[in-house]
Amino acid sequence: MTFSIVAKSVDPATGEPTWGVAVASKFLAVGSAVPAAVAGVGAIATQAEANVAYKGLALAHLDEGATASVALERLLEEDPGRDHRQVGIVDVDGTAASHTGSSCLDWAGSRTGSTDDGGYAIQGNILTGPEVVEEMEAAWLASSPEAPLQRRLLAALAAGDKAGGDSRGRQSAAILVVREEAGYGGNDDIAADLRVDDHTDPVTELTRLLDLNDFYLTAPSEAEKVPVGPEIDAELATFAAAYGSKDFYTWAATQNYEMRVADDVSWIDQRILDIVRGAE
């Protein structure tokens, strides 16, 4: 009752690998059941009559060195309900595997493949038709390897949604992306972990949340950084004092903008500077 994409990509500039899952469904809080991923190990989506135990089991198999196909084989051989399951897995190397049980409801099916920077598994059941996974695959293959994985996954999910998605309608969507030290302050591996649990247009809402995630929880690019010289420094100090903060960084941190300002305020994100100056 769900459509999803599981994939790995590699940043062409840094060589950093990333794994992730994006999923949507006419099912409450699909993000609580379907996706799982661990940096340096792999990612999985379990759906249809989902066996949520697959998540921990698959990641354990992958962590022990199993390929995606071997991990999938082990899951299925141990599960008497395998004919009702649908699952997609991508391993540490980006090799992908997918399974659609014979008892999954129409339309149900999947596609797997590989690109220069990784692999993908796309699957869905109770869909409006095969065009959903076909359009998801086309969107994935058309996406730029230089784009963050979460944006590529979301583009594929949006393409599936536009093509018809879940034949019963829309309710929830989620995205989970992991990369080593990608999380807040570099203290965990969560690059994005967002859920829309109940919404009339969950994929669009997920896009809005990802925009906020990128703004609040990622550092700006070099092009977005404005060096803080004496004039801007004085402007920021005056602004902070007007808002009762002891210094500008304290004000920025209380507004959750700390990722967008240097600790020593030697640079500031252009968008934060615009906020200070009252720009739209």
Side-chain angles (χ1 to χ4, degrees):
M1 300 170 281
T2 300
F3 55 102
S4 66
I5 175 171
V6 185
K8 176 196 175 185
S9 69
V10 177
D11 186 314
T14 66
E16 292 182 319
T18 309
W19 296 261
V21 184
V23 57
S25 180
K26 180 65 171 70
F27 182 86
L28 180 68
V30 70
S32 67
V34 171
V38 173
V41 175
I44 176 175
T46 176
Q47 55 197 57
E49 192 172 313
N51 184 342
V52 295
Y54 274 12
K55 295 187 286 187
L57 291 170
L59 291 170
H61 293 321
L62 295 176
D63 193 36
E64 291 168 356
T67 62
S69 59
V70 169
L72 179 58
E73 182 180 354
R74 290 176 182 173
L75 293 178
L76 299 177
E77 68 185 9
E78 297 167 357
D79 183 6
R82 55 186 169 270
D83 289 346
H84 298 272
R85 316 296 188 206
Q86 191 172 53
V87 57
I89 301 175
V90 171
D91 61 30
V92 66
D93 295 320
T95 305
S98 187
H99 163 79
T100 299
S102 58
S103 296
C104 290
L105 300 179
D106 286 336
W107 188 88
S110 66
R111 291 196 170 203
T112 61
S114 62
T115 57
D116 290 342
D117 66 326
Y120 60 90
I122 299 169
Q123 44 281 316
N125 62 94
I126 315 189
L127 303 183
T128 55
E131 64 275 4
V132 176
V133 295
E134 291 167 1
E135 290 301 312
M136 290 178 71
E137 182 178 44
W140 170 259
L141 294 175
S143 64
S144 171
E146 297 180 356
L149 179 58
Q150 49 267 42
R151 292 294 175 179
R152 301 176 68 190
L153 292 174
L154 190 55
L157 196 70
D161 186 58
K162 184 177 180 180
D166 190 322
S167 63
R168 301 165 307 152
R170 299 176 173 92
Q171 187 167 9
S172 65
I175 190 164
L176 173 63
V177 174
V178 297
R179 186 180 68 252
E180 290 186 2
E181 299 182 353
Y184 182 75
N187 293 318
D188 67 25
D189 299 333
I190 305 298
D193 184 7
L194 300 169
R195 286 171 37 177
V196 177
D197 287 345
D198 186 27
H199 198 279
T200 56
D201 191 3
V203 176
T204 298
E205 176 66 3
L206 188 62
T207 303
R208 186 185 73 85
L209 293 180
L210 186 56
D211 289 342
L212 291 175
N213 180 87
D214 289 350
F215 180 60
Y216 284 106
L217 299 177
T218 65
S221 67
E222 291 302 317
E224 294 172 311
K225 295 178 180 179
V226 176
V228 175
E231 290 186 8
I232 294 178
D233 186 54
E235 181 182 359
L236 298 180
T238 299
F239 177 88
Y243 280 86
S245 295
K246 66 177 183 179
D247 54 45
F248 183 77
Y249 185 81
T250 299
W251 174 85
T254 60
Q255 301 301 311
N256 301 319
Y257 297 145
E258 64 270 26
M259 296 289 286
R260 296 276 159 179
V261 178
D263 291 351
D264 60 0
V265 198
S266 58
W267 56 260
I268 181 173
D269 184 284
Q270 180 65 59
R271 284 174 288 184
I272 307 304
L273 187 57
D274 289 344
I275 290 171
V276 169
R277 292 173 172 173
E280 292 276 322

